[in-house]
Amino acid sequence: MRRWNGWGDEQVQLPLAPEAKLFLLEVLGEAKNGPNADLNTAIARLSASRLDDTKLWTTNPAQRIRYSLGQSLPDWLQLRYGLIAQAPDAVAFPESREEVRAVLQQAAQQGCVVIPYGGGTSVAGHVNVQASSRPVITLVMQRMMQLQSLDTEAQLATFGAGVLGPDLEAQLRARGFTLGHFPQSFEYSSLGGWVVTRSSGQQSLGYGRIEAMFAGGHLETPGGSLDIRAFPASAAGTDLREIVLGSEGRIGVLTDVTVRVQRLPEKESFIAVCFPDWESGRQALRQMAQQQIPLSMLRLSNATETATSLKLAGHVQQVTWLERYLRWRGCAEQKCMAIIGTSGSALQVRQALQQAKQVWRQHSGIGLGTLLGKKWQHGRFRNVYLRNTLWDMGYAIDTVETATDWSRITPLMQAVEQAARGAFAEEGEAVHTYTHLSHVYTQGASVYTTFVYRLSGDYQTDLRRWQRLKRAASEAITTFGGTISHQHGVGLDHAPYLHVEKGQAGLEVIRSLYRHFDPQDMMNPGKCVAAKGD
Amino acid sequence: MRRWNGWGDEQVQLPLAPEAKLFLLEVLGEAKNGPNADLNTAIARLSASRLDDTKLWTTNPAQRIRYSLGQSLPDWLQLRYGLIAQAPDAVAFPESREEVRAVLQQAAQQGCVVIPYGGGTSVAGHVNVQASSRPVITLVMQRMMQLQSLDTEAQLATFGAGVLGPDLEAQLRARGFTLGHFPQSFEYSSLGGWVVTRSSGQQSLGYGRIEAMFAGGHLETPGGSLDIRAFPASAAGTDLREIVLGSEGRIGVLTDVTVRVQRLPEKESFIAVCFPDWESGRQALRQMAQQQIPLSMLRLSNATETATSLKLAGHVQQVTWLERYLRWRGCAEQKCMAIIGTSGSALQVRQALQQAKQVWRQHSGIGLGTLLGKKWQHGRFRNVYLRNTLWDMGYAIDTVETATDWSRITPLMQAVEQAARGAFAEEGEAVHTYTHLSHVYTQGASVYTTFVYRLSGDYQTDLRRWQRLKRAASEAITTFGGTISHQHGVGLDHAPYLHVEKGQAGLEVIRSLYRHFDPQDMMNPGKCVAAKGD
């Protein structure tokens, strides 16, 4: 069963090796076990629902709690301390467009707010309930998850928008196809959620971001239905898909999604390459991206992330030998590990790697073959379980992500890391901080920074710490020319910084779009771009 | 000097070989020379301007005529018969954002309509003046054409939006870069025009459509300025670029455009491949697109276009030998010629062609090397001059274009061609009709159909003929599942068909966007999506 206050399936554990624990002890100090309230405690504290049960929704307290929050660190604090600030008054599980429409109509009639909920993996507060005089209904899409049609010639598949990653891929793979969208949240995030938050998967370099996959769909809005037809390309005025992408539940509920799929590749390969330092690695990735070498993934860890990964991996003996070899080849303390992915026919994979090799050699990269690549592939959706393990040990782990131009990446990364490391200086608490680039473009790359620090054992202290860290990192991102989100969306947590990149005129046009579909501001109010006066 | 009532530079002639003339005579019958009014005749018929000259604009009659129309066939009829239905009351040539702003402010104060004008190459009526009680100012962007900045690391270039294709490429090439956007109108179309009409260049398979190149920019609207910052990618809510793309002058004036550019490729190659029939060619192109073979162009002429091109090429001797060789290799009457383009390093070009060859051989394609490819490349912007030659001979040439899914391409093409061939049946006039695919996607391809037919010598007859042909072709396109435009935009001519793909709810949201920026409906009114009641 899915954990109610942690990541993923209760059966999945990701224990740390003793050496990994020792490493955390060294860098952050001893920690006491993190809090872990039980569901009944949270239920007992829940305020009464302001709605009655209907055929359309339930007011069951356990359901209200299970669908009250996402996976951001402040969400975890609420869940683990058993202090759910706000839960929806009711939860609806529609099974069809008609039922979605009925929920919206009933909600409008009763003056309710509706929060669309896909997989609940948001790390930016997209599905959180905010204090409101209006009752809140969380509309869970999980029952709308069928593959409705597959056009094998046009490579178009239409799904219910609530389908989660594994179910989507299983239905496609059975027919020889793949979507190729693999965000780290893959196991629990939904197709509709990917679209409305502009998600990006780990192999976006080859398969494209969700924007490129999203070909059309159907939306139920307070003002009526919107059908978006799928064309290969069109110059016919405004692209309606773009009204839906990044709309974060503010204009309605995406019920059906048509995506561009691809035949399962004959071959897929991930190889590791070690660079002697950050700058060599960054230049190599830039060159591969700008030369349009047909790879499916490019990922580069900075020196701290590389060292941390090797420490947390366990396998002391093998890592020692690897590091000895790398040192002999010129990759020592400052070494940075990259993972390079390729997909396609055997010929395509071979040719792409040949092109990539020319570039990494120019930048003193050492090819390490597929062993570490396979390890990365094996852990690609498992590492997120590390959060449970660390929490139990008393450590919080959180991330921020952005994208910026190639020339700004290093100063931005340094600024974010410095801001984070110093965030708790006055308390004398360390923040272990490291970064990778995981999505590359001709113009620049995403920058993804991770923070690990000790929990205090006190909810208010931990919340304040997170707020301080999040603010420091977000200010560094916007000051140094990054977008406030490359792949996680805006939600609540990034909303205060959005004006920096959109400008007031930009926010106004987004508001006018929301108003067009939702004049009563009943759809997920306050998220992304708040109506004036929120 | 640029022709006032034809395509391109007055010095450029594209004479037809005698055999080509004979071919037209055979398929369409003898024609009498097309009309060719002179500028003074048109000026003499011009109604008086309702505006006075100011520092911001001129009411010079020759200028009013020169900027009154685009390049659609009905535009040509007006220009060649010297019967300009409507001209702007004044023409403005702003040199800065401030001057653009001043024109918009003055226009608003005087209750005028403003039509933004890039290169005037629209074939869909984007820049046409419509009868209006409000005076009309055409705002010509051509003086805003400077390269303002070039970030060689992020590969971003910012230009004045009025820059035309050759000036843009010249400024970039001098610094070792290219945009890679080459529509057939390249010589006279502008960067801003490409963006607001969602243009697609001949090598969009490699370089992307203008949507992918457009990174950010600046817009002056009646309601104020909108700045769009350029990020490599972002998940931060609605993408403001998409408000501008396809806006067709309806929300304001795009003054500055930041585009993603690329280093000039080491090598570029176009080769010809002949398929024995249409279906073999279509399947080969589909497979190359869906296998993501890194080509920069894929283009396939149907049998009639292939035969017509060979006839119009002249060079009877060489063509005879080529056809004899092809027949021996199995490509006879139904043969379809494809052009395959590749760009990149020498290694990349070699590898891409190796992959492509595997596919074309599976589909009985015969590789013909680079000779015909070079010929195509040489003529890529010259063939549009053929329109002048044909007109002088008494023939009209026009095109329609769409995109649809792979499975719909053949029935759609047949329906469009059949509708066109029969359009003048009651008059006993033939329409010579042929088609190519020129932009391919995993989902489908663009379908581009050309019509050649005789001019009547009478303006009203020719206009009615065009209307009948355009309606027949457009109805076939929408009935058979195509978008009303893959690359030319909506303007006036495609507006009646837009509801089929957007739906009424889709048109409403587009209207609400226009209203947000332009509550007085002063920007290019009636184009793309008309305000209600227009």
Side-chain angles (χ1 to χ4, degrees):
Chain A
M1 191 165 180
R2 189 168 169 188
R3 286 183 172 88
W4 80 275
N5 68 351
W7 179 264
D9 192 283
E10 284 169 350
Q11 301 305 311
V12 180
Q13 307 287 342
L14 198 73
L16 275 186
E19 299 79 9
K21 291 183 181 171
L22 204 64
F23 170 74
L24 289 169
L25 195 68
E26 275 171 28
V27 294
L28 295 174
E30 197 153 5
K32 36 181 197 268
N33 292 356
N36 191 7
D38 67 15
L39 182 54
N40 289 331
T41 309
I43 290 176
R45 288 176 178 152
L46 190 65
S47 55
S49 171
R50 292 167 290 182
L51 292 171
D52 295 323
D53 271 0
T54 71
K55 273 193 297 189
L56 291 168
W57 56 64
T58 174
T59 63
N60 175 293
Q63 298 286 49
R64 289 173 57 209
I65 295 230
R66 278 190 180 276
Y67 296 100
S68 60
L69 291 164
Q71 290 283 330
S72 72
L73 195 84
D75 293 347
W76 269 56
L77 293 174
Q78 290 187 49
L79 292 163
R80 287 287 181 139
Y81 280 101
L83 296 163
I84 316 296
Q86 302 286 337
D89 293 280
V91 186
F93 299 91
E95 296 186 4
S96 66
R97 288 183 190 180
E98 292 67 33
E99 286 187 18
V100 170
R101 205 148 53 220
V103 172
L104 294 190
Q105 281 163 356
Q106 272 300 312
Q109 277 170 28
Q110 299 190 31
C112 297
V113 155
V114 175
I115 301 178
Y117 184 107
T121 60
S122 165
V123 290
H126 286 98
V127 296
N128 294 33
V129 178
Q130 294 182 279
S132 168
S133 58
R134 295 183 283 179
V136 177
I137 300 161
T138 289
L139 187 154
V140 181
M141 288 297 294
Q142 66 189 27
R143 293 190 185 163
M144 294 177 67
M145 49 76 77
Q146 294 297 321
L147 174 60
Q148 297 161 14
S149 66
L150 176 65
D151 178 337
T152 57
E153 199 168 357
Q155 300 194 165
L156 286 179
T158 300
F159 285 93
V163 66
L164 303 188
D167 283 342
L168 175 143
E169 280 293 329
Q171 292 181 78
L172 287 176
R173 273 160 199 260
R175 290 155 179 87
F177 288 87
T178 179
L179 179 61
H181 191 75
F182 305 112
Q184 199 181 29
S185 62
F186 177 74
E187 243 193 297
Y188 292 97
S189 53
S190 72
L191 175 56
W194 297 339
V195 171
V196 301
T197 61
R198 295 183 174 272
S199 166
S200 185
Q202 289 162 348
Q203 286 167 268
S204 70
L205 186 59
Y207 290 101
R209 292 168 61 91
I210 200 72
E211 286 98 323
M213 299 169 177
F214 176 47
H218 182 90
L219 204 74
E220 291 293 340
T221 85
S225 304
L226 182 69
D227 249 317
I228 303 178
R229 288 182 57 185
F231 294 103
S234 170
T238 309
D239 187 340
L240 296 176
R241 292 174 302 174
E242 294 288 342
I243 309 293
V244 179
L245 287 160
S247 61
E248 303 197 350
R250 295 290 272 121
I251 64 170
V253 181
L254 183 59
T255 61
D256 308 83
V257 180
T258 301
V259 279
R260 296 176 180 137
V261 299
Q262 302 198 24
R263 289 196 184 275
L264 279 167
E266 184 188 338
K267 196 165 173 193
E268 186 154 70
S269 180
F270 296 93
I271 64 159
V273 174
C274 195
F275 290 96
D277 54 38
W278 174 251
E279 183 58 13
S280 311
R282 187 186 72 88
Q283 291 292 6
L285 262 70
R286 176 168 80 94
Q287 206 172 319
M288 291 185 210
Q290 293 183 343
Q291 289 181 6
Q292 317 242 23
I293 299 179
L295 304 168
S296 69
M297 196 180 82
L298 274 176
R299 189 185 164 89
L300 175 70
S301 297
N302 72 3
T304 311
E305 180 164 305
T306 301
T308 303
S309 301
L310 292 173
K311 288 288 186 190
L312 295 188
H315 311 296
V316 183
Q317 190 69 49
Q318 291 106 305
V319 168
T320 306
W321 280 105
L322 174 68
E323 293 199 297
R324 202 168 292 172
Y325 168 73
L326 287 171
R327 190 179 300 274
W328 173 66
R329 296 288 306 269
C331 294
E333 296 312 314
Q334 293 306 311
K335 67 180 172 297
C336 292
M337 200 71 83
I339 306 280
I340 299 179
T342 52
S343 297
S345 68
L347 175 67
Q348 287 178 313
V349 166
R350 196 170 65 242
Q351 290 185 342
L353 283 179
Q354 188 188 345
Q355 291 180 31
K357 196 178 209 167
Q358 283 191 344
V359 177
W360 84 57
R361 285 193 168 167
Q362 279 174 44
H363 296 277
S364 313
I366 310 296
L368 296 171
T370 56
L371 193 69
L372 285 169
K374 282 199 178 116
K375 241 186 108 57
W376 173 85
Q377 197 178 2
H378 176 70
R380 66 196 292 190
F381 310 127
R382 287 174 60 84
N383 283 336
V384 62
Y385 283 89
L386 190 63
R387 210 175 186 188
N388 300 326
T389 313
L390 290 176
W391 187 280
D392 290 339
M393 291 166 59
Y395 300 106
I397 181 165
D398 199 19
T399 63
V400 296
E401 44 82 40
T402 180
T404 195
D405 295 353
W406 283 111
S407 53
R408 296 172 193 253
I409 283 173
T410 303
L412 182 147
M413 173 181 79
Q414 288 166 345
V416 171
E417 290 200 345
Q418 195 181 335
R421 288 202 186 98
F424 311 148
E426 62 190 50
E427 299 175 74
E429 282 291 316
V431 179
H432 184 60
T433 305
Y434 48 88
T435 298
H436 65 253
L437 312 182
S438 45
H439 303 263
V440 299
Y441 306 88
T442 59
Q443 186 183 337
S446 70
V447 182
Y448 190 101
T449 302
T450 302
F451 317 115
V452 189
Y453 58 94
R454 288 199 297 191
L455 290 159
S456 72
D458 173 66
Y459 175 78
Q460 287 299 339
T461 305
D462 283 335
L463 181 60
R464 266 200 308 274
R465 277 189 191 164
W466 176 81
Q467 286 166 337
R468 203 174 306 150
L469 182 55
K470 183 74 175 177
R471 187 165 52 241
S474 300
E475 284 172 357
I477 283 171
T478 50
T479 305
F480 281 79
T483 168
I484 196 58
S485 176
H486 166 268
Q487 67 205 66
H488 289 160
V490 180
L492 283 178
D493 298 345
H494 300 142
Y497 307 94
L498 193 60
H499 69 96
V500 181
E501 62 193 85
K502 304 287 186 192
Q504 287 306 331
L507 295 185
E508 278 307 325
V509 60
I510 297 172
R511 277 193 191 101
S512 87
L513 270 175
Y514 295 172
R515 259 197 313 274
H516 172 77
F517 288 104
D518 177 27
Q520 304 304 318
D521 196 29
M522 64 178 272
M523 297 304 307
N524 211 9
K527 311 296 168 60
C528 195
V529 177
K532 260 187 191 147
D534 273 23
Chain B
M1 191 165 180
R2 189 169 169 186
R3 287 184 171 86
W4 81 275
N5 68 350
W7 179 265
D9 193 284
E10 285 169 351
Q11 302 305 312
V12 180
Q13 307 288 342
L14 198 73
L16 276 186
E19 300 78 10
K21 290 183 182 170
L22 205 62
F23 170 73
L24 289 169
L25 195 67
E26 274 169 32
V27 294
L28 294 174
E30 198 154 3
K32 35 181 199 267
N33 290 357
N36 191 6
D38 68 14
L39 183 55
N40 289 332
T41 310
I43 289 176
R45 290 177 178 151
L46 190 65
S47 55
S49 172
R50 293 167 291 181
L51 291 170
D52 295 325
D53 270 359
T54 71
K55 271 192 298 190
L56 291 169
W57 57 64
T58 173
T59 63
N60 175 292
Q63 298 287 50
R64 289 173 57 209
I65 296 233
R66 279 190 178 275
Y67 296 100
S68 60
L69 292 163
Q71 290 284 330
S72 72
L73 194 85
D75 294 348
W76 269 56
L77 292 175
Q78 290 186 49
L79 292 163
R80 288 285 181 143
Y81 280 100
L83 296 162
I84 316 295
Q86 303 285 338
D89 294 279
V91 186
F93 298 91
E95 295 186 6
S96 65
R97 289 181 190 182
E98 292 66 34
E99 287 187 18
V100 171
R101 206 149 52 222
V103 172
L104 294 189
Q105 281 164 357
Q106 273 300 313
Q109 278 171 27
Q110 299 190 32
C112 297
V113 156
V114 175
I115 300 178
Y117 184 108
T121 61
S122 166
V123 289
H126 287 99
V127 297
N128 294 33
V129 178
Q130 294 182 279
S132 168
S133 58
R134 297 183 281 180
V136 176
I137 300 160
T138 290
L139 186 154
V140 181
M141 288 296 296
Q142 69 190 23
R143 293 189 186 163
M144 294 175 68
M145 50 76 76
Q146 292 300 320
L147 174 60
Q148 297 161 14
S149 66
L150 175 66
D151 177 337
T152 57
E153 198 167 358
Q155 298 192 167
L156 286 178
T158 300
F159 284 93
V163 67
L164 303 188
D167 283 342
L168 176 141
E169 281 292 330
Q171 292 180 78
L172 287 176
R173 274 161 199 260
R175 291 156 180 87
F177 288 87
T178 178
L179 179 60
H181 191 75
F182 305 112
Q184 200 181 28
S185 61
F186 177 75
E187 243 193 299
Y188 291 97
S189 54
S190 72
L191 174 57
W194 299 337
V195 171
V196 300
T197 61
R198 293 182 173 276
S199 165
S200 185
Q202 289 162 348
Q203 286 167 270
S204 70
L205 185 59
Y207 291 101
R209 291 167 62 88
I210 200 72
E211 287 99 321
M213 299 168 177
F214 175 47
H218 182 89
L219 204 74
E220 292 294 340
T221 85
S225 304
L226 181 69
D227 248 317
I228 302 179
R229 288 181 56 185
F231 295 102
S234 170
T238 308
D239 188 340
L240 296 175
R241 290 173 303 174
E242 294 287 343
I243 308 293
V244 180
L245 286 160
S247 62
E248 303 196 351
R250 296 288 273 121
I251 64 171
V253 181
L254 183 60
T255 60
D256 307 85
V257 181
T258 301
V259 279
R260 296 173 179 139
V261 299
Q262 302 197 23
R263 288 194 185 275
L264 279 167
E266 184 188 338
K267 197 167 173 190
E268 186 154 68
S269 181
F270 295 94
I271 63 159
V273 174
C274 193
F275 291 95
D277 55 37
W278 174 252
E279 183 58 14
S280 311
R282 188 186 71 89
Q283 291 292 5
L285 262 70
R286 176 169 80 93
Q287 206 171 318
M288 290 184 209
Q290 293 184 342
Q291 289 181 7
Q292 318 241 24
I293 298 179
L295 303 168
S296 70
M297 194 182 81
L298 273 175
R299 188 184 166 91
L300 175 70
S301 297
N302 72 3
T304 312
E305 181 164 307
T306 301
T308 303
S309 301
L310 293 173
K311 290 285 185 193
L312 295 187
H315 310 297
V316 182
Q317 191 68 50
Q318 292 107 306
V319 168
T320 305
W321 280 106
L322 175 67
E323 292 199 299
R324 202 168 292 173
Y325 168 74
L326 287 171
R327 192 179 299 273
W328 173 67
R329 297 288 306 268
C331 293
E333 296 311 316
Q334 293 306 309
K335 66 181 174 295
C336 293
M337 201 69 86
I339 306 280
I340 299 179
T342 52
S343 298
S345 67
L347 176 66
Q348 287 178 314
V349 165
R350 197 169 65 242
Q351 291 186 342
L353 283 179
Q354 187 187 347
Q355 292 179 32
K357 196 178 208 170
Q358 284 192 345
V359 177
W360 85 56
R361 287 192 168 169
Q362 279 172 47
H363 297 277
S364 313
I366 311 294
L368 296 171
T370 56
L371 194 69
L372 286 169
K374 282 199 178 116
K375 241 188 107 56
W376 172 85
Q377 196 178 2
H378 176 69
R380 64 194 295 189
F381 310 127
R382 286 174 60 85
N383 283 335
V384 63
Y385 283 89
L386 190 61
R387 210 176 186 187
N388 300 326
T389 312
L390 290 177
W391 188 280
D392 289 340
M393 291 167 59
Y395 300 106
I397 182 165
D398 200 19
T399 63
V400 297
E401 44 83 39
T402 179
T404 196
D405 295 354
W406 283 110
S407 52
R408 296 171 192 254
I409 283 172
T410 304
L412 183 146
M413 173 182 78
Q414 288 167 344
V416 171
E417 290 199 346
Q418 196 181 334
R421 288 202 185 99
F424 310 148
E426 62 189 51
E427 301 176 72
E429 281 293 315
V431 180
H432 184 60
T433 306
Y434 47 88
T435 300
H436 65 253
L437 311 183
S438 47
H439 302 262
V440 300
Y441 305 89
T442 61
Q443 185 182 337
S446 70
V447 181
Y448 190 100
T449 302
T450 302
F451 318 114
V452 189
Y453 58 94
R454 289 199 295 191
L455 291 159
S456 71
D458 173 64
Y459 174 78
Q460 287 300 339
T461 306
D462 283 334
L463 181 60
R464 267 200 308 275
R465 277 191 191 163
W466 176 81
Q467 286 166 337
R468 203 174 306 149
L469 183 56
K470 184 74 174 177
R471 187 165 52 241
S474 300
E475 284 173 359
I477 284 171
T478 51
T479 304
F480 282 78
T483 169
I484 196 58
S485 177
H486 167 268
Q487 68 207 62
H488 290 160
V490 180
L492 284 179
D493 297 345
H494 300 142
Y497 307 94
L498 194 60
H499 70 97
V500 181
E501 62 193 85
K502 303 288 186 192
Q504 287 306 330
L507 295 185
E508 278 307 325
V509 59
I510 297 172
R511 278 194 189 99
S512 86
L513 271 174
Y514 295 171
R515 260 197 313 274
H516 173 77
F517 288 104
D518 177 27
Q520 304 305 319
D521 195 29
M522 65 178 272
M523 296 305 307
N524 210 8
K527 311 296 168 60
C528 196
V529 178
K532 260 183 192 151
D534 271 25

